[in-house]
Amino acid sequence: MSLPLWLRQPIFTFVNLILGQGIAGSILAIRLIQRGEQVLIVDDGHATSSSMVAAGLWNPIVFRRINKSWMADRFCHELEKFYPEVEGLLNAKFYHTNSVWRMHSSALEADIWKEKMSDQEYSAYLHDKREYNRDFPLVNNTPFGSGLVKHAGHVDLPEFLSAARRFFVRKAIYYNTAIHLQKIVGVFNEFEFKGIKPTRIIDCRGAKSADDSVFSWLPFGLTKGELLTIRCNNLPLDEIFNAGFFLCPLGDDLFRLGATFNWSDKDDLPTDAGRSELIQKLNKWIKVDFEVVNHKAGIRPTVQDRRPLIGKHPEIPNMYIFNGLGTKGVMLAPWLSNHFCDHLLYGNELLPEINIDRFAHLIRQKNPLINFPHS
């Protein structure tokens, strides 16, 4: 693929070069475009994108302790504005609101849930669901009852990413090629990409950033996840079902079933073990037949301290990363991208808990042979 005409100049110095067109890169690019910035998105056509195989769910509650997840109020408020607006921009439908129907795992969980429903901090999110049709074909046994989580749902990520890519192609700001970040950073940290010298490079490649020496010193804790798409006729499920796994309705009798967590397997290939694990979990609850129509796997860009990796490289001028959104990328990306743009364009301080400065001391420990000049 050739470069857009507007970029075919000996030196072009006003472009934000975004590496990766997954959920992080796509949303950041849209944010920068909305602010009048020039961008060029470079991607390998989603050949290795975990976003294309992610479930795209968002849910403000951590079920293990029935707590709101980190910054849930801010994130939910922003995503509920962002995705409907971007549907109009991209002329596509990918944003779906669904309550989460949670099967309580214990009497203690049920008691905590009931107590927190009356807490003002949680009343907008937690609701009771004591009654359900005993003939409903999904539930085999709910000894501790169940509840509903509001302000939840899912984004159809393949549709969103495809629509975003079409938008970028129409604007002539998308370039399909394999990415080798070390080659883009030249002698004395001068950037060059196909003759372009961009203002800044922003690495949004997800798990692939962990394999590149420029950012491999960061404490990625990558996890493999597998998902199934199943077809199940006559299953009247409008909510996202959760019982230690999730079952998300997609329409036309299709459902997304997930997800597995594997911290040792680092390839992106589906496995028989992952398929069996998900089917066994579902069979404990379902009463009707289903068929598997798709099976996918991907590597999530998770981080050891469970916070994103955002900010400027400590030793390479104008090299940035927007990454590590993990399993909650759909929920986190709209607010964090806005926050990051304020940092890039106006110098606003990043939240300390997301700023990669918190790990700057690791760069020499993990890459003692690297000799990047200081900025």
Side-chain angles (χ1 to χ4, degrees):
M1 179 184 291
S2 61
L3 284 172
L5 287 173
W6 66 275
L7 286 170
R8 295 180 199 171
Q9 302 179 35
I11 297 178
F12 193 96
T13 59
F14 305 106
V15 64
N16 297 277
L17 183 59
I18 295 178
L19 307 180
Q21 196 245 313
I23 184 72
S26 295
I27 290 181
L28 181 61
I30 289 170
R31 290 293 200 190
L32 288 167
I33 291 167
Q34 290 174 331
R35 292 175 182 237
E37 289 284 304
Q38 296 277 20
V39 303
L40 175 64
I41 301 100
V42 180
D43 188 79
D44 60 3
H46 300 308
T48 58
S49 173
S50 64
S51 296
M52 289 296 288
V53 299
L57 305 185
W58 82 88
N59 164 29
I61 300 299
V62 178
F63 291 129
R64 185 172 62 253
R65 297 173 181 167
I66 320 299
N67 286 334
K68 285 193 292 187
S69 61
W70 173 62
M71 290 178 53
D73 295 333
R74 289 188 191 182
F75 292 143
C76 287
H77 178 74
E78 188 64 28
L79 75 84
E80 288 171 353
K81 294 189 303 180
F82 176 80
Y83 289 115
E85 176 186 340
V86 174
E87 281 188 326
L89 177 68
L90 303 183
N91 190 29
K93 176 62 179 175
F94 45 78
Y95 173 70
H96 306 276
T97 58
N98 311 80
S99 297
V100 176
W101 182 12
R102 167 67 176 181
M103 301 292 114
H104 296 319
S105 62
S106 66
L108 177 60
E109 179 182 311
D111 290 342
I112 295 173
W113 190 287
K114 183 177 181 180
E115 179 182 345
K116 289 197 172 182
M117 281 196 307
S118 59
D119 187 330
Q120 186 175 358
E121 285 289 308
Y122 289 84
S123 59
Y125 299 115
L126 298 182
H127 298 261
D128 205 357
K129 190 178 176 73
R130 295 180 179 176
E131 300 296 331
Y132 60 91
N133 185 351
R134 288 292 178 180
D135 295 326
F136 189 77
L138 182 65
V139 178
N140 275 330
N141 184 23
T142 55
F144 307 112
S146 60
L148 287 180
V149 180
K150 301 289 188 179
H151 296 281
H154 79 280
V155 169
D156 184 337
L157 285 178
E159 178 60 27
F160 167 70
L161 296 177
S162 296
R165 183 179 182 181
R166 293 192 298 269
F167 173 74
F168 298 143
V169 169
R170 286 196 303 271
K171 294 180 71 68
I173 58 172
Y174 179 88
Y175 189 74
N176 186 337
T177 188
I179 302 167
H180 303 285
L181 182 53
Q182 193 68 47
K183 294 180 180 179
I184 296 174
V185 183
V187 179
F188 305 117
N189 299 333
E190 290 185 2
F191 300 149
E192 184 171 340
F193 176 76
K194 305 295 183 180
I196 303 163
K197 293 187 177 179
T199 304
R200 58 180 71 92
I201 296 180
I202 308 170
D203 190 350
C204 303
R205 294 175 298 155
K208 286 298 177 181
S209 301
D211 297 328
D212 195 305
S213 61
V214 173
F215 283 113
S216 62
W217 51 274
L218 289 169
F220 285 95
L222 306 179
T223 54
K224 179 174 181 175
E226 299 188 50
L227 296 172
L228 302 179
T229 302
I230 66 170
R231 187 184 304 280
C232 189
N233 298 325
N234 302 315
L235 181 60
L237 182 65
D238 297 323
E239 296 140 340
I240 299 169
F241 181 83
N242 183 290
F245 65 94
F246 66 80
L247 187 65
C248 179
L250 305 177
D252 298 324
D253 295 324
L254 295 175
F255 300 85
R256 187 71 39 78
L257 172 62
T260 65
F261 290 83
N262 188 317
W263 288 268
S264 58
D265 187 356
K266 300 304 182 185
D267 67 43
D268 57 2
L269 300 177
T271 65
D272 290 340
R275 177 188 175 109
S276 296
E277 177 184 336
L278 292 172
I279 290 176
Q280 288 174 11
K281 287 181 177 180
L282 184 58
N283 277 334
K284 292 180 180 179
W285 294 90
I286 200 167
K287 293 182 178 180
V288 294
D289 293 333
F290 61 88
E291 62 172 323
V292 176
V293 298
N294 202 322
H295 181 191
K296 292 184 177 181
I299 305 299
R300 306 178 183 95
T302 51
V303 186
Q304 290 178 9
D305 68 357
R306 300 187 180 185
R307 293 292 180 265
L309 298 170
I310 300 176
K312 184 178 181 180
H313 195 288
E315 297 192 336
I316 306 180
N318 298 326
M319 172 66 70
Y320 295 83
I321 190 168
F322 185 68
N323 206 327
L325 305 188
T327 60
K328 294 182 177 290
V330 160
M331 182 173 166
L332 274 57
W335 191 92
L336 288 176
S337 60
N338 218 22
H339 179 64
F340 188 40
C341 284
D342 287 340
H343 171 72
L344 291 175
L345 305 182
Y346 311 125
N348 292 10
E349 291 292 326
L350 290 172
L351 293 173
E353 56 264 49
I354 68 172
N355 195 327
I356 61 170
D357 282 353
R358 70 193 192 273
F359 297 123
H361 64 284
L362 297 177
I363 190 167
R364 295 298 174 186
Q365 296 176 23
K366 292 200 173 184
N367 290 307
L369 300 181
I370 289 179
N371 186 28
F372 294 130
H374 287 272
S375 57

mmCIF file of all heavy atoms in Angstrom, residues 4 35 43 54 58 63 72-73 89 94 131 141 172 200 229 258 265 303 305 324 335 353-354:
data_model
loop_
_atom_site.group_PDB
_atom_site.id
_atom_site.type_symbol
_atom_site.label_atom_id
_atom_site.label_comp_id
_atom_site.label_asym_id
_atom_site.label_seq_id
_atom_site.Cartn_x
_atom_site.Cartn_y
_atom_site.Cartn_z
ATOM 1 N N PRO A 4 -0.451 7.983 1.524
ATOM 2 C CA PRO A 4 -1.352 9.012 1.020
ATOM 3 C C PRO A 4 -0.567 10.163 0.386
ATOM 4 O O PRO A 4 0.561 10.473 0.785
ATOM 5 C CB PRO A 4 -2.090 9.488 2.279
ATOM 6 C CG PRO A 4 -1.965 8.364 3.241
ATOM 7 C CD PRO A 4 -0.655 7.717 2.948
ATOM 8 N N ARG A 35 -9.626 16.837 17.605
ATOM 9 C CA ARG A 35 -8.944 18.023 18.122
ATOM 10 C C ARG A 35 -8.127 18.737 17.043
ATOM 11 O O ARG A 35 -7.340 19.630 17.342
ATOM 12 C CB ARG A 35 -8.053 17.648 19.297
ATOM 13 C CG ARG A 35 -8.840 17.201 20.542
ATOM 14 C CD ARG A 35 -7.886 16.719 21.616
ATOM 15 N NE ARG A 35 -8.613 16.238 22.795
ATOM 16 C CZ ARG A 35 -8.435 16.725 24.027
ATOM 17 N NH1 ARG A 35 -7.596 17.718 24.233
ATOM 18 N NH2 ARG A 35 -9.104 16.226 25.047
ATOM 19 N N ASP A 43 -0.778 -0.110 10.698
ATOM 20 C CA ASP A 43 -1.287 -1.362 11.277
ATOM 21 C C ASP A 43 -1.046 -2.488 10.279
ATOM 22 O O ASP A 43 -0.925 -2.247 9.072
ATOM 23 C CB ASP A 43 -2.784 -1.225 11.579
ATOM 24 C CG ASP A 43 -3.329 -2.408 12.363
ATOM 25 O OD1 ASP A 43 -3.113 -2.453 13.580
ATOM 26 O OD2 ASP A 43 -3.962 -3.281 11.756
ATOM 27 N N ALA A 54 -11.580 -9.905 21.266
ATOM 28 C CA ALA A 54 -12.056 -9.589 22.608
ATOM 29 C C ALA A 54 -13.580 -9.539 22.636
ATOM 30 O O ALA A 54 -14.229 -9.299 21.616
ATOM 31 C CB ALA A 54 -11.479 -8.253 23.072
ATOM 32 N N TRP A 58 -18.272 -4.186 28.877
ATOM 33 C CA TRP A 58 -17.913 -3.310 29.986
ATOM 34 C C TRP A 58 -18.903 -3.527 31.116
ATOM 35 O O TRP A 58 -20.078 -3.819 30.909
ATOM 36 C CB TRP A 58 -17.869 -1.834 29.566
ATOM 37 C CG TRP A 58 -19.185 -1.121 29.538
ATOM 38 C CD1 TRP A 58 -19.799 -0.470 30.570
ATOM 39 C CD2 TRP A 58 -20.051 -0.979 28.417
ATOM 40 N NE1 TRP A 58 -20.988 0.066 30.169
ATOM 41 C CE2 TRP A 58 -21.177 -0.227 28.834
ATOM 42 C CE3 TRP A 58 -19.992 -1.411 27.084
ATOM 43 C CZ2 TRP A 58 -22.219 0.088 27.984
ATOM 44 C CZ3 TRP A 58 -21.034 -1.091 26.239
ATOM 45 C CH2 TRP A 58 -22.122 -0.352 26.689
ATOM 46 N N PHE A 63 -16.933 -8.522 40.679
ATOM 47 C CA PHE A 63 -17.803 -9.455 41.396
ATOM 48 C C PHE A 63 -17.118 -10.120 42.574
ATOM 49 O O PHE A 63 -17.781 -10.536 43.528
ATOM 50 C CB PHE A 63 -18.341 -10.513 40.439
ATOM 51 C CG PHE A 63 -19.317 -9.962 39.432
ATOM 52 C CD1 PHE A 63 -19.154 -10.212 38.078
ATOM 53 C CD2 PHE A 63 -20.388 -9.184 39.830
ATOM 54 C CE1 PHE A 63 -20.047 -9.711 37.150
ATOM 55 C CE2 PHE A 63 -21.282 -8.667 38.907
ATOM 56 C CZ PHE A 63 -21.113 -8.932 37.566
ATOM 57 N N ALA A 72 -14.753 3.727 38.026
ATOM 58 C CA ALA A 72 -15.900 3.269 37.244
ATOM 59 C C ALA A 72 -16.846 4.401 36.871
ATOM 60 O O ALA A 72 -17.370 4.442 35.755
ATOM 61 C CB ALA A 72 -16.651 2.181 38.008
ATOM 62 N N ASP A 73 -17.097 5.326 37.792
ATOM 63 C CA ASP A 73 -18.045 6.406 37.507
ATOM 64 C C ASP A 73 -17.572 7.258 36.330
ATOM 65 O O ASP A 73 -18.342 7.569 35.423
ATOM 66 C CB ASP A 73 -18.244 7.283 38.745
ATOM 67 C CG ASP A 73 -18.897 6.544 39.901
ATOM 68 O OD1 ASP A 73 -19.641 5.582 39.630
ATOM 69 O OD2 ASP A 73 -18.663 6.918 41.052
ATOM 70 N N LEU A 89 -20.336 9.215 13.655
ATOM 71 C CA LEU A 89 -19.159 9.588 12.871
ATOM 72 C C LEU A 89 -18.777 8.492 11.890
ATOM 73 O O LEU A 89 -18.429 8.774 10.734
ATOM 74 C CB LEU A 89 -17.987 9.868 13.823
ATOM 75 C CG LEU A 89 -16.640 10.197 13.186
ATOM 76 C CD1 LEU A 89 -16.698 11.552 12.488
ATOM 77 C CD2 LEU A 89 -15.531 10.174 14.233
ATOM 78 N N PHE A 94 -22.447 -0.456 16.661
ATOM 79 C CA PHE A 94 -21.602 -1.395 17.401
ATOM 80 C C PHE A 94 -21.769 -1.272 18.916
ATOM 81 O O PHE A 94 -21.246 -2.092 19.665
ATOM 82 C CB PHE A 94 -20.123 -1.204 17.040
ATOM 83 C CG PHE A 94 -19.685 0.235 17.012
ATOM 84 C CD1 PHE A 94 -19.423 0.940 18.165
ATOM 85 C CD2 PHE A 94 -19.557 0.888 15.795
ATOM 86 C CE1 PHE A 94 -19.033 2.258 18.130
ATOM 87 C CE2 PHE A 94 -19.158 2.221 15.745
ATOM 88 C CZ PHE A 94 -18.890 2.908 16.915
ATOM 89 N N GLU A 131 -36.799 -12.803 41.090
ATOM 90 C CA GLU A 131 -37.788 -13.582 40.356
ATOM 91 C C GLU A 131 -37.319 -13.850 38.928
ATOM 92 O O GLU A 131 -36.795 -12.973 38.257
ATOM 93 C CB GLU A 131 -39.123 -12.829 40.319
ATOM 94 C CG GLU A 131 -39.709 -12.550 41.688
ATOM 95 C CD GLU A 131 -40.066 -13.818 42.441
ATOM 96 O OE1 GLU A 131 -40.391 -14.817 41.776
ATOM 97 O OE2 GLU A 131 -39.993 -13.798 43.681
ATOM 98 N N ASN A 141 -29.552 -24.088 38.297
ATOM 99 C CA ASN A 141 -29.574 -24.005 39.749
ATOM 100 C C ASN A 141 -29.047 -22.646 40.189
ATOM 101 O O ASN A 141 -27.951 -22.252 39.822
ATOM 102 C CB ASN A 141 -28.698 -25.116 40.345
ATOM 103 C CG ASN A 141 -28.778 -25.136 41.856
ATOM 104 O OD1 ASN A 141 -29.748 -24.653 42.429
ATOM 105 N ND2 ASN A 141 -27.772 -25.709 42.483
ATOM 106 N N ALA A 172 -7.568 8.940 4.070
ATOM 107 C CA ALA A 172 -6.198 8.735 3.573
ATOM 108 C C ALA A 172 -5.170 8.896 4.690
ATOM 109 O O ALA A 172 -4.121 9.516 4.507
ATOM 110 C CB ALA A 172 -5.888 9.679 2.415
ATOM 111 N N ARG A 200 5.537 12.948 16.795
ATOM 112 C CA ARG A 200 5.618 11.964 17.877
ATOM 113 C C ARG A 200 5.143 10.606 17.359
ATOM 114 O O ARG A 200 4.362 10.529 16.409
ATOM 115 C CB ARG A 200 4.792 12.393 19.089
ATOM 116 C CG ARG A 200 3.338 12.626 18.829
ATOM 117 C CD ARG A 200 2.565 13.047 20.078
ATOM 118 N NE ARG A 200 2.864 14.387 20.531
ATOM 119 C CZ ARG A 200 2.184 15.479 20.159
ATOM 120 N NH1 ARG A 200 1.183 15.386 19.292
ATOM 121 N NH2 ARG A 200 2.492 16.660 20.642
ATOM 122 N N THR A 229 -18.077 -18.404 19.925
ATOM 123 C CA THR A 229 -19.383 -17.929 19.477
ATOM 124 C C THR A 229 -20.248 -19.162 19.273
ATOM 125 O O THR A 229 -19.850 -20.100 18.571
ATOM 126 C CB THR A 229 -19.287 -17.133 18.165
ATOM 127 O OG1 THR A 229 -18.409 -16.017 18.360
ATOM 128 C CG2 THR A 229 -20.651 -16.624 17.746
ATOM 129 N N GLY A 258 -17.418 -16.689 27.042
ATOM 130 C CA GLY A 258 -16.028 -16.518 27.444
ATOM 131 C C GLY A 258 -15.922 -16.340 28.951
ATOM 132 O O GLY A 258 -16.906 -16.332 29.667
ATOM 133 N N ASP A 265 0.583 -19.743 28.358
ATOM 134 C CA ASP A 265 0.543 -19.928 26.908
ATOM 135 C C ASP A 265 0.539 -18.557 26.246
ATOM 136 O O ASP A 265 -0.377 -17.753 26.457
ATOM 137 C CB ASP A 265 -0.721 -20.718 26.538
ATOM 138 C CG ASP A 265 -0.750 -21.101 25.065
ATOM 139 O OD1 ASP A 265 0.165 -20.695 24.320
ATOM 140 O OD2 ASP A 265 -1.688 -21.809 24.658
ATOM 141 N N VAL A 303 -1.163 -5.779 32.654
ATOM 142 C CA VAL A 303 -0.011 -5.210 33.346
ATOM 143 C C VAL A 303 0.005 -5.761 34.770
ATOM 144 O O VAL A 303 -1.045 -6.017 35.362
ATOM 145 C CB VAL A 303 -0.084 -3.668 33.376
ATOM 146 C CG1 VAL A 303 1.186 -3.075 33.976
ATOM 147 C CG2 VAL A 303 -0.323 -3.118 31.970
ATOM 148 N N ASP A 305 0.547 -4.476 37.671
ATOM 149 C CA ASP A 305 -0.164 -3.739 38.719
ATOM 150 C C ASP A 305 -1.600 -3.376 38.311
ATOM 151 O O ASP A 305 -2.252 -2.596 38.985
ATOM 152 C CB ASP A 305 0.609 -2.484 39.138
ATOM 153 C CG ASP A 305 0.670 -1.417 38.054
ATOM 154 O OD1 ASP A 305 0.161 -1.654 36.936
ATOM 155 O OD2 ASP A 305 1.221 -0.332 38.330
ATOM 156 N N GLY A 324 -1.741 -1.306 27.567
ATOM 157 C CA GLY A 324 -1.981 -1.958 28.845
ATOM 158 C C GLY A 324 -3.394 -1.803 29.372
ATOM 159 O O GLY A 324 -3.618 -1.843 30.580
ATOM 160 N N TRP A 335 -12.267 7.538 28.190
ATOM 161 C CA TRP A 335 -11.821 8.572 29.141
ATOM 162 C C TRP A 335 -10.306 8.733 29.101
ATOM 163 O O TRP A 335 -9.787 9.852 29.071
ATOM 164 C CB TRP A 335 -12.263 8.221 30.558
ATOM 165 C CG TRP A 335 -12.058 9.360 31.524
ATOM 166 C CD1 TRP A 335 -12.949 10.334 31.865
ATOM 167 C CD2 TRP A 335 -10.856 9.649 32.260
ATOM 168 N NE1 TRP A 335 -12.392 11.218 32.764
ATOM 169 C CE2 TRP A 335 -11.102 10.824 33.020
ATOM 170 C CE3 TRP A 335 -9.597 9.050 32.355
ATOM 171 C CZ2 TRP A 335 -10.140 11.397 33.863
ATOM 172 C CZ3 TRP A 335 -8.628 9.615 33.183
ATOM 173 C CH2 TRP A 335 -8.910 10.768 33.922
ATOM 174 N N GLU A 353 -0.982 6.919 38.597
ATOM 175 C CA GLU A 353 -1.165 5.467 38.566
ATOM 176 C C GLU A 353 -1.165 4.885 37.158
ATOM 177 O O GLU A 353 -1.101 3.659 36.990
ATOM 178 C CB GLU A 353 -2.445 5.058 39.298
ATOM 179 C CG GLU A 353 -3.706 5.710 38.789
ATOM 180 C CD GLU A 353 -4.108 6.934 39.580
ATOM 181 O OE1 GLU A 353 -3.249 7.797 39.816
ATOM 182 O OE2 GLU A 353 -5.290 7.023 39.959
ATOM 183 N N ILE A 354 -1.225 5.725 36.108
ATOM 184 C CA ILE A 354 -1.148 5.224 34.732
ATOM 185 C C ILE A 354 0.149 5.634 34.043
ATOM 186 O O ILE A 354 0.509 5.063 33.014
ATOM 187 C CB ILE A 354 -2.346 5.694 33.888
ATOM 188 C CG1 ILE A 354 -2.299 7.211 33.648
ATOM 189 C CG2 ILE A 354 -3.658 5.275 34.527
ATOM 190 C CD1 ILE A 354 -3.344 7.705 32.658
#
